[in-house]
Amino acid sequence: MRSRFQPDRRLTMRMGATLFLLGLLYVAFVAALIVLLKSWVLVVVIAAALLGAQYWFSDRIALFAMRGRVVEREEYPQLHGVIDRLCATADMPKPVVAVSDMEMPNAFATGRNADHAVVCVTTGLLRRLEPAELEGVLAHELSHVAHRDVAVITVASFLGVIAGLVVRFTFYSQMFGGARRDQNTAVMLMAVMAVSVAVYSISFVLIRALSRYRELAADRAGAMLTGRPSALASALTKLSGDIAKIPTRDLRTAQAFNAFYFTPALGATPGLQRLFSTHPSLEQRLEQLGRISSELGQSPTSGQAG
């Protein structure tokens, strides 16, 4: 699909390189599990089933996990109106529109392609943003769909998910069944855990490198589409500050989906979380939007919602 969103060749190259490296890692991971578990049928069937489920049903899984529901125009006319205008401007299919009844102000896009995409916003976001700010956030999310990076990050995150599941299964298997196993079985399970931890760590680094760049690319493309980078900057500043006020327990629940959010669910003092964040820092994002304002001949605060 071609749209009027500004293309980003560097993003395309990064997505290709990430998928290639993760593909090699995936093959090596499956091969290692087959050697260790001595059952290629079991490993291949389970891995293929999980990958297929994550790719084909990623939109439903994400909506269910985030308590989102599809909403019609009669219920949220302003939200539908903004998405209609942006899709017409970008010359792209309109995604399914959903709302999550959550206080945390955020938004995300998911789906395997533009024809099977969902854009979801939380009620906390809708209450906080002015119309121009909402337009900026939605343009950002639609650019993820147009650039296809939302599908790439969904597939890319699969390897980390399956490695994490193997680690948990092996850990609990050792904890609750260790006394009934011989030494060879225990060594094999420890080897499986070690391989899984290594795979998870490598995929963790690769996904974050891609995720941080794709957020900057979406900010840039969304700002160029609307022509109001200052409105997007205003939304970023407002939402980042408000998310920091959300109770820590609620943020921890949401952090598993940070790679998909408009802005990450980090607390007031993120510490090491910032180092391993799926997003660039707020300062980096605002600096880029300031440069775009200059390119468009605007002052950094022009067009900012009240």
Side-chain angles (χ1 to χ4, degrees), residues 47-182:
L50 289 174
L51 177 59
Q54 185 150 356
Y55 180 74
W56 289 100
F57 304 111
S58 59
D59 51 348
R60 301 178 191 178
I61 294 171
L63 282 181
F64 176 78
M66 294 309 300
R67 304 196 301 275
R69 61 184 180 87
V70 176
V71 296
E72 302 300 331
R73 182 183 303 275
E74 294 75 19
E75 192 174 0
Y76 284 90
Q78 181 187 5
L79 177 61
H80 272 271
V82 174
I83 292 178
D84 283 337
R85 291 193 299 274
L86 289 171
C87 288
T89 302
D91 190 22
M92 64 182 290
K94 182 181 179 181
V96 172
V97 181
V99 171
S100 173
D101 188 16
M102 295 178 62
E103 179 59 26
M104 183 184 70
N106 228 318
F108 66 90
T110 185
R112 61 183 184 272
N113 55 44
D115 294 320
H116 300 86
V118 177
V119 171
C120 181
V121 299
T122 67
T123 51
L125 178 140
L126 292 175
R127 283 196 295 270
R128 288 169 169 84
L129 296 188
E130 300 294 330
E133 296 170 334
L134 177 63
E135 181 185 61
V137 172
L138 292 174
H140 169 107
E141 295 304 329
L142 288 172
S143 76
H144 282 313
V145 177
H147 288 156
R148 300 184 179 91
D149 60 88
V150 66
V152 171
I153 204 70
T154 297
V155 173
S157 63
F158 161 75
L159 186 56
V161 170
I162 191 172
L165 289 175
V166 171
V167 169
R168 291 182 184 180
F169 174 80
T170 307
F171 175 78
Y172 288 118
S173 179
Q174 282 283 86
M175 179 178 293
F176 297 109
R180 299 189 300 272
R181 293 196 173 93
D182 58 32

Side-chain angles (χ1 to χ4, degrees), residues 177-244:
R180 299 189 300 272
R181 293 196 173 93
D182 58 32
Q183 186 174 0
N184 289 337
T185 302
V187 170
M188 183 269 291
L189 289 175
M190 291 301 295
V192 169
M193 180 178 287
V195 170
S196 301
V197 169
V199 167
Y200 179 84
S201 301
I202 296 172
S203 64
F204 181 92
V205 173
L206 290 174
I207 290 170
R208 269 146 187 78
L210 172 62
S211 182
R212 291 179 185 182
Y213 186 86
R214 86 182 187 108
E215 293 301 331
L216 289 173
D219 284 346
R220 182 165 51 248
M224 295 299 290
L225 183 75
T226 63
R228 291 192 282 189
S230 58
L232 181 55
S234 176
L236 267 171
T237 304
K238 182 182 292 185
L239 297 183
S240 296
D242 287 351
I243 284 178

